[in-house]
């Protein structure tokens, strides 16, 4: 009995190891070491990022998603959320075998209850492989408001293109990429004619484990195309004030995905005016309307399921009114299978997990491909 008790105590002690010390048990979970000296640092603001619209307009903070003028026109919630860097991505080429990052975050709230710090506040690095495909490399694991650390080390030799996605649910005050002295480093300018997404917390990125795992980012890599993410958590409601900024973007396609923040009455009142607003300014740019995803547990929650059905019906009616009025280049994404059909595509029933985002990308892709082509 004493032997059994001893083993039990020892096992419990190992399982109860504080999370801050987990790196002593599993090196893969250890916090990367701070960056040392001897690096050359490149300030991202000197060459710009993708996903930052209207760069020639004045901003209160360089990494804000909307220009300063929006503070007076959009709702206060949309404005505050626009200060998150969701969807922004910086590209560069280097032959460095170690890549470092130094950035300061707007908020000290690094994570949420259902979304890790890697997604809320992390920098997520991808690189092109020898076939030109984007492949994941590494993500930061922030534990403070200022992060200065090695992002990826012991990289295979070779000069290649990298893309670093910025935090989803936090803002950036400053960001620099560091490489060892003597390394080649080439800045890459943002590409033109982005896919523009206007939506809700799901578009914003809740609850991806990393910034590169949102469906908007996944689709950007699949199409090898720039993306603008104008997701505003809880506040993507087809506002015409936001539409004023949408129409200023030279977009390849507009994706309107606001139904998770709306009800059928709001859809009936706002969808047609928003589409007409965009079409008046952009007569030839494709517009994609997206149905509300169903909560993954709505099968057992009749009221919630009825809400989704009413939203879908309202959007179908709006689509019909628009097409009957002769609006062309209008496309439609059904919502019933955006997260799949097995109930495993969300973290909390509403917000996508990485699996849910991947499934959304699969549903979006053929419709976006037809629209862009």
């Amino acid at each position: 009995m004493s032997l059994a008790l001893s083993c039990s105590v020892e096992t419990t002690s190992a399982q109860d190891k504080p999370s801050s010390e987990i790196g002593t048990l599993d090196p893969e979970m250890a916090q990367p070491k701070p960056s040392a000296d001897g690096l050359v640092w490149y300030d991202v603001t000197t060459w710009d990022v993708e996903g930052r619209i209207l760069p020639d307009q004045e901003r209160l903070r360089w990494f804000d998603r909307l220009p300063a003028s929006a503070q007076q026109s959009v709702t206060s919630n949309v404005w505050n959320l626009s200060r998150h860097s969701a969807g922004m991505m910086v590209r560069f080429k280097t032959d460095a075998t170690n890549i470092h990052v130094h950035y300061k975050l707007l908020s000290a709230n690094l994570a949420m209850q259902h979304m890790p710090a890697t997604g809320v506040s992390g920098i997520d690095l991808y690189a092109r492989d020898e076939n030109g495909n984007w492949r994941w490399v590494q993500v930061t694991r922030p534990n403070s408001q200022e992060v200065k650390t090695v992002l990826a080390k012991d990289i295979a030799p070779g000069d290649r293109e990298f893309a670093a996605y910025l935090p989803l649910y936090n803002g950036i005050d400053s960001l620099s990429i560091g490489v060892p002295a003597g390394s080649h480093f080439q800045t890459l300018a943002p590409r033109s004619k982005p896919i523009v997404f206007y939506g809700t917390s799901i578009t914003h990125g809740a609850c991806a484990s990393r910034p590169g795992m949102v469906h908007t980012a996944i689709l950007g890599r699949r199409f090898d195309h720039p993306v603008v993410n104008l997701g505003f958590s809880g506040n993507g409601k087809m506002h015409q004030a936001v539409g004023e900024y949408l129409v200023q973007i030279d977009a390849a396609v507009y994706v309107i995905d606001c139904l998770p923040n709306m009800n059928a009455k709001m859809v009936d009142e706002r969808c047609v005016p928003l589409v007409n607003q965009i079409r008046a300014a952009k007569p030839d740019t494709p517009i994609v309307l997206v149905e509300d995803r169903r909560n993954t547990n709505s099968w057992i929650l009749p009221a919630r399921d009825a809400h989704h059905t009413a939203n879908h019906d309202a959007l179908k009616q709006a689509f019909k009114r628009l097409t009957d009025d002769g609006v062309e280049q209008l496309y439609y994404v059904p919502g019933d299978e955006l997260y799949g059909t097995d109930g495993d595509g969300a973290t909390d029933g509403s917000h996508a997990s990485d699996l849910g985002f991947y499934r959304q990308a699969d549903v979006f892709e053929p419709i976006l491909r037809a629209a862009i082509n």
Side-chain angles (χ1 to χ4, degrees):
M1 183 177 294
S2 62
L3 178 61
L5 178 60
S6 173
C7 290
S8 174
V9 171
E10 186 176 356
T11 301
T12 302
S13 176
Q15 290 175 341
D16 290 347
K17 195 77 170 177
S19 59
S20 60
E21 300 177 22
I22 194 68
T24 63
L25 300 178
D26 185 347
E28 292 293 335
M29 295 188 181
Q31 187 70 23
K33 295 181 179 179
S35 295
D37 294 330
L39 301 173
V40 179
W41 291 97
Y42 295 88
D43 184 348
V44 167
T45 65
T46 63
W47 80 90
D48 211 350
V49 297
E50 291 185 357
R52 178 178 173 269
I53 66 169
L54 310 175
D56 295 333
Q57 296 189 21
E58 181 184 354
R59 272 173 164 74
L60 296 189
R61 289 171 54 255
W62 196 92
F63 289 96
D64 287 349
R65 284 186 287 165
L66 292 178
S69 59
Q71 188 175 17
Q72 306 304 320
S73 58
V74 302
T75 68
S76 60
N77 288 338
V78 167
W79 170 253
N80 291 332
L81 292 164
S82 77
R83 316 205 80 183
H84 294 167
S85 53
M88 292 189 187
M89 183 186 81
V90 58
R91 297 186 307 128
F92 56 92
K93 290 186 72 174
T94 184
D95 61 0
T97 55
N98 295 328
I99 297 175
H100 299 247
V101 65
H102 183 196
Y103 64 104
K104 295 180 182 179
L105 293 158
L106 174 64
S107 172
N109 296 323
L110 305 180
M112 295 188 285
Q113 294 89 336
H114 59 344
M115 186 174 176
T118 48
V120 172
S121 305
I123 300 286
D124 200 11
L125 186 67
Y126 280 73
R128 288 193 193 272
D129 64 15
E130 62 275 10
N131 297 315
N133 299 314
W134 288 110
R135 302 282 297 276
W136 182 73
V137 179
Q138 192 52 269
V139 64
T140 60
R141 305 167 193 179
N143 61 4
S144 64
Q145 200 167 346
E146 182 173 359
V147 180
K148 187 176 184 181
T149 187
V150 59
L151 179 51
K153 63 180 181 178
D154 302 327
I155 299 171
D159 197 20
R160 56 177 60 86
E161 182 180 350
F162 291 88
Y165 292 92
L166 275 58
L168 294 170
Y169 265 81
N170 209 330
I172 291 282
D173 277 330
S174 62
L175 171 61
S176 295
I177 306 295
V179 294
S183 301
H184 167 254
F185 192 93
Q186 177 186 351
T187 62
L188 297 176
R191 296 165 294 179
S192 61
K193 296 191 77 69
I195 303 170
V196 178
F197 293 85
Y198 172 34
T200 67
S201 55
I202 301 162
T203 301
H204 198 143
C207 291
S209 66
R210 301 182 279 104
M213 282 308 299
V214 184
H215 66 294
T216 59
I218 294 170
L219 289 163
R221 293 192 298 277
R222 289 185 184 180
F223 284 88
D224 201 11
H225 206 87
V227 165
V228 165
N229 183 329
L230 294 179
F232 304 111
S233 189
N235 289 272
K237 299 180 179 181
M238 296 189 184
H239 289 134
Q240 290 193 266
V242 175
E244 293 175 8
Y245 290 91
L246 295 177
V247 299
Q248 296 180 57
I249 306 169
D250 184 17
V253 58
Y254 294 101
V255 181
I256 310 300
D257 189 3
C258 293
L259 263 63
N261 288 165
M262 302 175 71
N263 57 37
K265 183 175 184 294
M266 294 168 67
V267 175
D268 182 62
E269 293 173 348
R270 298 182 184 183
C271 181
V272 170
L274 178 63
V275 171
N276 285 335
Q277 178 186 17
I278 296 171
R279 183 53 75 234
K282 303 288 184 178
D284 301 317
T285 306
I287 301 171
V288 179
L289 300 179
V290 185
E291 280 186 353
D292 189 1
R293 75 339 177 199
R294 289 186 187 268
N295 281 34
T296 53
N297 56 356
S298 69
W299 67 274
I300 202 170
L301 302 174
R304 188 65 194 176
D305 210 45
H307 167 81
H308 294 313
T309 298
N311 264 2
H312 294 183
D313 290 345
L315 192 67
K316 289 185 177 77
Q317 289 301 314
F319 183 83
K320 184 177 186 303
R321 285 162 57 192
L322 288 161
T323 53
D324 287 349
D325 288 343
V327 176
E328 299 181 345
Q329 288 281 65
L330 196 61
Y331 297 81
Y332 196 93
V333 177
D336 285 343
E337 299 185 8
L338 281 174
Y339 285 177
T341 58
D342 54 14
D344 291 335
T347 59
D348 55 6
S350 173
H351 300 101
S353 60
D354 288 358
L355 175 62
F357 280 123
Y358 195 88
R359 288 172 171 175
Q360 281 191 95
D362 286 344
V363 175
F364 274 69
E365 182 176 357
I367 297 166
L368 275 178
R369 197 169 294 281
I372 292 173
N373 287 342

